[in-house]
Amino acid sequence: MTWRSPATTGQQIIDSIVVGRVIQIRDVAGNVTVVADRAPYQVEAFEPGAVPLPAGIARRQPSRLLLARHQMVPFIGRDTELEVLDRWMGGDEPVSVRLIHAAGGQGKTRLARHVAAQANTAGWMTWRVLHALGQQPTGSPEEMSASAGALVVVDYADRWQASDLNRLITDMTALSLRTGLVLRMLLLARSAGFWWSALRDRIDSDHGILAEAQALPPLDEHTDRRVLFEQACERFSAALDVPDTASITVPDLTDAGFRQILAVHMAALVAVDSHHHGHTPPTQPHALSAYLLNRERAHWHHLHARTEDRRATSPEIMGRAVYLATLTGGITRADAITVLTRTQVTEPGATTIIDDHQFCYPASAPHNDTVLRPLRPDRLGEDLIALSTPGHSHTGADDWPPDDWAATAAHTLLTGDLGTWTPTAITVLVETAHRWPHVAATVLYPLIRQHPELALTADGTTITRLADLPHVDITALQAIEALLPQRHIDLDTASAAVNTTLTHHRLGLTSDPAEQAKLLATHALHLNNAGHRSDALAPAEEAVGIYRRLAEANPTTYLPDLANSINNRAAYLSGVGRRDQALAPTEEAVTIRRRLAEVNPAAYLPDLASSLNNLGALLSAVGRHNEALTPAEEAVGIHRRLAEVNPTAYLPDLTMSLSNLGAILLEVGRRDQALTWTEEAVTIRRRLAEVNPAAYLPDLANSLNNLGAALSGVGRRNEALPPTEEAVGIYRRLAKVNPTAYLPDLANSLNNLGIRLSEVGRRDQALAPTETAVTIRRLLAEVNPTAYLPNLATSLNNLGIRLSEVGRRDQALVPTEEAVAIRRRLAEVNPTAYLRDLASSLHNLGATLSEVGRREQALAPTEEAVAIRRRLAEVNPAAHLPDLATSLINLGIHLSKVGRREQALPPAEEAVGIYRRLAEVNRAVHLPDLAHSLGAYAWVCVNLNDNLPAALDSVNEAIRLYKPMTERLPHIFMGQLFAAYRTLADVLERLGRADEAANVRRHLDQDPDEPQEILPDSV
C-alpha cells in the first residue's frame, strides 16, 4: 500500500524506484516505480577508500589486516586485467555485466576495490550489493545525470540464487532506462561454471545486455613474489607499529601454495607479527593459517580472562562457534540458537555465545542483521574447518590443535531436520575439500554416503564441484546418483557430471563388452539430457559398435540393445543438425524393432512406436512431410493402445507422438486435424506437468508452442497468442537453469511469439522477441552451423518482416538478404528440406525491395518464388497452394508497378481463383487472403484500364469481406479496408461515375492507395 505522507516527513521521491511492503512518500515527481515486494538484496554506497583499522585491533587480531576493505597492501600489477576492465568501463553499452572469477585468495575483491577507486576518481558513483532484504539505490536525477555512471559490485555472486541475481540486473536495467545512467555491474565469484552460463544467457535473452567472464589467473613464475612479500611486510609493519623489520628473511615462496596473492600476504603478515613477538615465523602455507588462527585464539582468551567487560565464552567454545559460523554463513539469531544447541555448543548459553561472537566479529555493514558471520578471508575460514577436523598430519606444537568435537560436528548439524544453513554448509565443505583431502575423506564423503539427499539441497553447481574433486569417493557419488531423477531441469548438468566420473571408473573395472556398451549408452544419454549433444555422439557411436558385434554373434540377446543404441545415436545426430545422417540409422532401428515386435509385441511394441515417432519427425525435418505422416500416424495408434492399458507408463509417449503428428499435419496443410492432436497433447502434458513439473515442463512448453501455431493455422489468431506466451515463459525458466539444453527452444518460441503478436496487430511488440531470437540463434550457429543455420535463417526472415511492418523498410532489407543467402546454400545441398524456406525468403525479398522503391530488382526474386512454389504445389497442393497464391499476388503488383500491366493480370486472376477455392474449404483461415487478392486484382485492372466491371465486382466483394474483419481486428484490417475503398474510388472514376468516386474519397484519410505486398511468416 502506498500513502502520500505529510510534508513534514521530508521524504521526496523523484525519478526513482521504491521497494517495500509499506511505502510512504510525498512530492512524487518524474517517473516513479513502486514495487510492493522487498528486493532480495540491498544496495549501499561502496566507498573505495580504505576502512581504517586501529593498530590495537590489528595487533589483537592480525588476520583482519588481510581483509580487502582495509587495503593494507597497495594494489600493484594486474596490468592486463586492468586494461580489459578499463575498456569495459568505457564501452558504449548503457548497461553491461562482467564476471571476475578465481579461486579464493586470488585478489578478486582487491581488484574490484581498485577499479572502484579509479571509477570514483573519474566521477562515477560506486555501489555495493549485498544478498539480503533491503532497498534499491535512490538518488536525485541531478546526481545521476551529473555522474559519469555507476559501478555496481556484487561479491559471492555464485552463491546467489539465480532468480535473485536476475532480479538485481532487471532492476538495475530499469533504473538505467529511467535515469539515463550508465551502469557497469562487476560480479565476483570463485567459478564461472554452470550458474554463470545460465545467468549470462538469461540476461542476454531478456535484456540484450552484454555479459562476459574474465578469469583472474594465479601468480605465475614471471611474478616476483619476493617484491610482493617485501611490499606487504612494509605495510603490515606500519599497521602493527612494528619497527626494525629490515632483518625479516624472505621465505621460499616457490611452493605451489604461494600462487595466490593472499598466501604471499599471509606469509608477510605472519613474518611481521612473529618478528614483533620474537618468534620464528612458520613458512608452510598450512602453518601460516595455523599461526593466524592461534592469534585469534589468544584474543578470545584475553577477552575471557580479563576482569573488565569479561566475555563469558571460553576460547574453546568460541573456536567451535567460529567453526559453525564459517560452515553455515551469516544466519538469523533463531537459526543460530538451533545450530549451537544441535551441536551441543551451549555453555555458557547460546545467546551469550552469539553475543560474544558478535563482539569479536562485528558486522562490516550497518544493515547486516545476521549473526554467526563466517571468518574471513574465506581461505582462513576454510583452513579453520580443516585444521580443527582430526585426520590431517599438521599436529605440531605450533599448529592449530584438532578438536574431536569437529570430527562429528558437521554430521550432527546436518543430519537432523534440514535447516536454512544446509545448502551453504554443503557448499563450504565441498570447497574446503578441494584443498583438504581429509575433510573430504572423514567428513564430506561419509556424510554424503549416509545422507545423499543433503547434496541435493545444494544446487547443481555444488554437486558438479563435488564430482570434480580429485580422487572423489565413488561410493558417495553412487549414493547421489541413486537419488538423481532421470530428467530434472535443475539437475541434468549435475547428473551428467556425476555420471561422467562414474562411467570412467566403471569402464576401468569391467572387460565385459555388454556392460561397457551399456555404460557408454547411459553416459551418452546423460550428456544429451544436459544439452551436451555433440559430446554425446562419441560414446553413443562406441556403444552402437559394441552392440553390433554382440548382435552378430547373438541376435536373440542383443538385437534389442542394438536397436536402442542405434535409435539414440540417430536422435543425437539429429540434435546436432546432422539430420540426413540420422535418417538411415532411424530407419534401421524401425526395421529391427518391427521384426522384434512381430515376435513379441508385448515387449517391443513400445520401442517400435518410439522409433516410428522419431522417423516421422526426422522425415518431416528433412522436408519429406508426406512420407512422415505414415510412421507418425502408426506411432500414435500404437501409443494410444498402450496408454489405454497402462496410462501411467505410456501417456508421456502418447503425448510425444500426438505432438509430433500435429506438427507434421500442419506442415502438409491439414490444419484442423493438426489442431485436434495438438490440443490433446497439451491437455495430457499439462496434467503430467502439474504432478511432475521438473520432468514434464519441457514437453508442455513444446506442445504449447505447437498449439499456438496450430490455432493460428486455422485462423484463431487471438487464441494462438496465450499458449505461445506461456511457452516462452516456461522456456525462459528452463534456459535460466540449463541454457545449453534449452536456449534453442527458447529462441524457437520467441520467434513464434513475434509471429503471433504480429498476427493480432501488436507489431511494435513483435519486434523485440524476434530480435532476441536472431541474437540467440546467431550465437548458436557460430558454434554449430550445421544444426542452427536453418533456424537463424528463419529468424532473419521473420526479422525482415517485423521491421517492414513497423515501417523500418531499409533496415528490413539486410536480414532478408542474409536469410536468402543462407537458404540458397542450404537448398543447394538439400532441396527437399529447404526449397520451401528459400521460396519464402525470396518472396519477402521481392516485397521488401519493392517497398524501398527498387521495383525492377523486386521482380526477379518474386518470379523465382512463384516458380519454386508452383513446383511444390504440384506435389502437395494442400501445403503449398496458399504460399503460391501469395507470391502470385505480389508478382501481379510488381509487374504492374514497373509498367508491365498486361502481364500483371494473369497472376492476379490466378491468385483470386486459388484463394476462392481455399476459402470454400476453410473460411476462417483464407477469407482475409481472398479479400486481399480481390483488392489486388481490382487494382491491377485499374492500372491496366481494362476489365473495369470485373474490377468493380471484385473490390466490392473485398470490401464486404473486410468489414466484419475490421470489427474483430481493426488494427489489422482497417488499413486494408481503406486501401480497397481507394481502389473502389479509382474504379468508379474510370467508369465515369465521378460523383460516386468523390463521395468515397471524402470519407478516407491518407492511407496508401496501393495494395500492400503480402509477407508470410516462417515458423
Side-chain angles (χ1 to χ4, degrees):
M1 182 177 296
T2 304
W3 297 88
R4 190 174 179 86
S5 65
T8 54
T9 63
Q11 188 170 5
Q12 187 176 25
I13 305 296
I14 304 174
D15 284 335
S16 190
I17 305 171
V18 184
V19 181
R21 296 187 63 183
V22 179
I23 301 167
Q24 299 182 34
I25 60 178
R26 74 173 183 87
D27 296 337
V28 178
N31 192 350
V32 176
T33 300
V34 178
V35 182
D37 296 329
R38 293 182 69 191
Y41 59 84
Q42 63 186 32
V43 181
E44 59 188 28
F46 182 25
E47 300 297 339
V51 177
L53 184 67
I57 295 177
R59 285 184 173 182
R60 291 192 294 271
Q61 293 176 281
S63 65
R64 289 202 190 185
L65 292 171
L66 297 171
L67 300 178
R69 66 176 179 268
H70 298 306
Q71 299 181 36
M72 287 299 160
V73 182
F75 185 90
I76 61 171
R78 299 293 189 192
D79 294 337
T80 301
E81 290 79 9
L82 287 172
E83 286 177 9
V84 173
L85 287 168
D86 186 59
R87 289 195 298 272
W88 170 67
M89 291 286 292
D92 296 331
E93 305 85 2
V95 180
S96 185
V97 178
R98 193 166 197 87
L99 169 70
I100 299 292
H101 62 96
Q106 211 85 297
K108 301 182 295 293
T109 306
R110 283 169 48 81
L111 177 65
R113 281 188 166 272
H114 183 73
V115 172
Q118 290 182 319
N120 204 262
T121 302
W124 287 61
M125 295 185 291
T126 50
W127 297 331
R128 179 175 64 172
V129 184
L130 304 176
H131 192 204
L133 291 178
Q135 295 285 344
Q136 298 183 43
T138 59
S140 72
E142 292 79 10
E143 290 174 335
M144 292 186 176
S145 61
S147 172
L151 174 66
V152 185
V153 179
V154 184
D155 207 350
Y156 299 101
D158 49 347
R159 298 187 184 182
W160 283 50
Q161 292 183 11
S163 58
D164 291 346
L165 262 181
N166 190 62
R167 165 74 181 275
L168 169 65
I169 293 167
T170 299
D171 292 344
M172 289 295 163
T173 303
L175 181 62
S176 174
L177 288 171
R178 283 165 172 77
T179 63
L181 185 68
V182 173
L183 277 171
R184 295 291 177 265
M185 299 190 65
L186 186 62
L187 313 185
L188 309 179
R190 286 197 173 189
S191 69
F194 169 72
W195 75 273
W196 167 247
S197 60
L199 177 70
R200 178 196 60 210
D201 295 327
R202 174 71 184 271
I203 63 179
D204 177 62
S205 61
D206 282 8
H207 309 295
I209 293 175
L210 178 66
E212 295 180 308
Q214 181 176 343
L216 198 62
L219 301 177
D220 58 24
E221 62 275 9
H222 302 296
T223 304
D224 194 334
R225 300 178 191 178
R226 179 188 183 93
V227 172
L228 294 178
F229 178 89
E230 290 174 343
Q231 288 178 332
C233 277
E234 181 181 347
R235 295 304 296 267
F236 289 140
S237 63
L240 292 170
D241 194 18
V242 176
D244 303 325
T245 56
S247 61
I248 292 178
T249 303
V250 179
D252 181 8
L253 300 172
T254 60
D255 187 276
F258 293 105
R259 294 188 71 205
Q260 296 175 328
I261 292 176
L262 178 62
V264 176
H265 287 179
M266 287 174 68
L269 176 61
V270 168
V272 172
D273 193 73
S274 298
H275 176 77
H276 174 62
H277 290 92
H279 300 152
T280 301
T283 57
Q284 294 300 309
H286 81 276
L288 298 174
S289 292
Y291 179 94
L292 292 172
L293 292 172
N294 279 315
R295 295 287 285 113
E296 294 291 316
R297 179 187 289 272
H299 178 56
W300 306 335
H301 184 273
H302 168 74
L303 294 177
H304 181 64
R306 68 186 182 183
T307 55
E308 184 179 347
D309 194 21
R310 175 181 176 273
R311 295 291 156 176
T313 304
S314 69
E316 180 185 29
I317 296 300
M318 182 61 74
R320 293 175 180 178
V322 174
Y323 175 105
L324 291 171
T326 304
L327 193 63
T328 62
I331 52 180
T332 66
R333 182 172 286 270
D335 282 343
I337 292 172
T338 302
V339 165
L340 294 170
T341 302
R342 183 178 291 186
T343 55
Q344 298 180 346
V345 182
T346 55
E347 184 63 36
T351 299
T352 300
I353 295 170
I354 293 169
D355 292 340
D356 289 350
H357 180 276
Q358 198 155 358
F359 182 84
C360 284
Y361 302 99
S364 59
H367 305 298
N368 190 339
D369 56 358
T370 61
V371 298
L372 290 189
R373 287 174 290 276
L375 181 64
R376 301 286 192 227
D378 290 336
R379 177 190 174 112
L380 187 63
E382 291 164 7
D383 287 352
L384 166 67
I385 290 174
L387 291 169
S388 298
T389 303
H392 59 83
S393 59
H394 307 303
T395 55
D398 295 326
D399 284 312
W400 179 262
D403 186 349
D404 290 340
W405 167 88
T408 58
H411 187 277
T412 302
L413 175 65
L414 297 171
T415 54
D417 294 335
L418 294 180
T420 58
W421 57 82
T422 301
T424 300
I426 294 296
T427 298
V428 171
L429 287 174
V430 169
E431 291 300 326
T432 305
H434 268 272
R435 289 191 301 110
W436 292 94
H438 80 287
V439 172
T442 65
V443 179
L444 181 62
Y445 295 150
L447 192 62
I448 298 300
R449 284 196 297 265
Q450 296 174 39
H451 302 281
E453 68 278 2
L454 293 174
L456 271 67
T457 66
D459 61 16
T461 306
T462 297
I463 297 175
T464 301
R465 288 279 288 163
L466 192 155
D468 193 43
L469 278 166
H471 311 296
V472 65
D473 185 90
I474 295 301
T475 57
L477 284 188
Q478 288 170 334
I480 295 172
E481 181 189 47
L483 295 184
L484 287 170
Q486 183 177 1
R487 291 301 310 271
H488 193 287
I489 56 180
D490 295 327
L491 298 172
D492 281 342
T493 298
S495 293
V498 169
N499 180 261
T500 296
T501 301
L502 290 177
T503 298
H504 292 159
H505 169 75
R506 290 161 176 166
L507 285 173
L509 296 179
T510 182
S511 58
D512 179 4
E515 181 64 21
Q516 290 172 343
K518 181 179 179 182
L519 289 170
L520 289 164
T522 302
H523 183 41
L525 181 64
H526 278 284
L527 289 170
N528 185 71
N529 288 346
H532 303 298
R533 298 181 178 92
S534 296
D535 295 335
L537 278 174
E541 289 170 350
E542 192 174 350
V544 168
I546 297 173
Y547 277 132
R548 198 177 291 284
R549 293 192 294 273
L550 291 170
E552 288 171 357
N554 187 348
T556 303
T557 301
Y558 293 111
L559 261 182
D561 296 321
L562 174 60
N564 186 54
S565 63
I566 291 172
N567 185 77
N568 289 350
R569 175 177 171 268
Y572 306 151
L573 284 167
S574 178
V576 298
R578 295 160 60 180
R579 298 181 181 92
D580 289 323
Q581 298 174 46
L583 196 54
T586 305
E587 290 174 326
E588 183 183 4
V590 167
T591 301
I592 296 172
R593 285 175 162 175
R594 195 178 292 283
R595 292 205 308 268
L596 292 169
E598 288 169 357
V599 176
N600 187 347
Y604 297 114
L605 263 180
D607 294 334
L608 173 60
S610 173
S611 286
L612 286 165
N613 184 69
N614 291 353
L615 179 58
L618 199 55
L619 285 166
S620 181
V622 298
R624 295 160 61 178
H625 305 297
N626 284 317
E627 295 174 64
L629 273 175
T630 301
E633 288 174 329
E634 186 179 358
V636 167
I638 296 172
H639 278 141
R640 195 178 292 284
R641 294 196 299 275
L642 292 169
E644 288 170 357
V645 176
N646 188 345
T648 302
Y650 295 113
L651 266 180
D653 297 324
L654 173 60
T655 62
M656 179 176 61
S657 57
L658 285 168
S659 189
N660 186 43
L661 178 57
I664 295 169
L665 286 166
L666 197 62
E667 289 287 351
V668 299
R670 291 161 60 178
R671 295 180 174 88
D672 288 318
Q673 293 172 279
L675 181 58
T676 300
W677 301 130
T678 306
E679 286 179 322
E680 184 180 358
V682 168
T683 299
I684 299 172
R685 281 179 164 172
R686 195 178 292 283
R687 292 204 304 268
L688 293 171
E690 288 171 358
V691 176
N692 189 348
Y696 295 114
L697 263 181
D699 296 334
L700 174 60
N702 175 266
S703 287
L704 287 165
N705 215 26
N706 291 351
L707 178 59
L711 286 165
S712 175
V714 297
R716 295 160 60 181
R717 291 170 175 170
N718 280 320
E719 297 173 63
L721 188 56
T724 308
E725 291 176 319
E726 186 179 358
V728 168
I730 295 172
Y731 277 133
R732 280 197 196 281
R733 297 197 298 274
L734 294 171
K736 178 178 71 174
V737 176
N738 191 341
T740 304
Y742 295 111
L743 262 182
D745 298 316
L746 174 59
N748 183 50
S749 62
L750 285 166
N751 183 73
N752 288 357
L753 177 59
I755 297 169
R756 304 288 90 83
L757 286 166
S758 175
E759 287 175 340
V760 298
R762 294 162 60 180
R763 288 169 177 165
D764 286 329
Q765 298 174 43
L767 190 57
T770 309
E771 289 176 322
T772 303
V774 168
T775 300
I776 296 172
R777 285 175 162 174
R778 196 179 291 283
L779 292 171
L780 294 170
E782 287 172 358
V783 177
N784 189 343
T786 303
Y788 297 114
L789 260 182
N791 296 329
L792 172 59
T794 296
S795 286
L796 287 165
N797 186 69
N798 288 359
L799 178 58
I801 297 165
R802 303 287 85 82
L803 287 166
S804 182
E805 287 174 341
V806 296
R808 295 161 60 179
R809 296 182 178 90
D810 287 323
Q811 297 175 43
L813 202 54
V814 175
T816 306
E817 289 177 323
E818 186 180 357
V820 168
I822 294 172
R823 285 176 161 175
R824 195 177 292 285
R825 295 197 302 270
L826 293 170
E828 287 170 358
V829 177
N830 188 344
T832 304
Y834 298 114
L835 260 181
R836 181 179 189 175
D837 296 332
L838 173 60
S840 173
S841 288
L842 286 165
H843 172 96
N844 293 349
L845 178 58
T848 306
L849 286 167
S850 178
E851 286 178 331
V852 297
R854 295 161 61 177
R855 292 173 177 174
E856 289 286 351
Q857 293 172 265
L859 271 177
T862 307
E863 288 173 328
E864 187 179 358
V866 167
I868 294 172
R869 286 174 162 176
R870 195 177 295 283
R871 294 200 304 272
L872 294 172
E874 288 170 359
V875 177
N876 187 347
H880 300 292
L881 268 178
D883 295 335
L884 173 59
T886 61
S887 287
L888 286 166
I889 289 175
N890 281 14
L891 179 58
I893 294 170
H894 296 165
L895 286 166
S896 184
K897 285 180 179 179
V898 297
R900 295 161 59 179
R901 295 182 176 89
E902 295 209 8
Q903 298 174 45
L905 196 57
E909 287 178 321
E910 185 180 0
V912 170
I914 293 172
Y915 276 134
R916 197 175 292 285
R917 295 194 300 274
L918 292 171
E920 288 172 357
V921 177
N922 191 334
R923 291 177 60 84
V925 173
H926 295 298
L927 268 184
D929 300 322
L930 174 59
H932 193 90
S933 66
L934 287 164
Y937 170 74
W939 183 83
V940 170
C941 289
V942 170
N943 274 10
L944 183 60
N945 201 22
D946 195 7
N947 294 351
L948 294 177
L952 183 61
D953 291 340
S954 293
V955 74
N956 277 324
E957 184 180 358
I959 289 170
R960 286 197 303 273
L961 294 175
Y962 276 135
K963 281 185 175 179
M965 297 178 202
T966 59
E967 294 175 2
R968 291 184 292 106
L969 295 170
H971 45 288
I972 295 178
F973 295 113
M974 190 63 75
Q976 296 180 25
L977 174 61
F978 282 6
Y981 270 121
R982 290 189 179 280
T983 302
L984 173 60
D986 290 341
V987 173
L988 290 169
E989 194 168 86
R990 296 293 176 92
L991 288 170
R993 296 157 64 174
D995 291 342
E996 295 174 67
N999 187 50
V1000 171
R1001 287 199 172 97
R1002 275 197 299 271
H1003 292 86
L1004 297 176
D1005 58 17
Q1006 299 301 313
D1007 281 317
D1009 58 2
E1010 293 181 347
Q1012 301 169 1
E1013 292 86 353
I1014 297 178
L1015 299 177
D1017 284 308
S1018 295
V1019 179

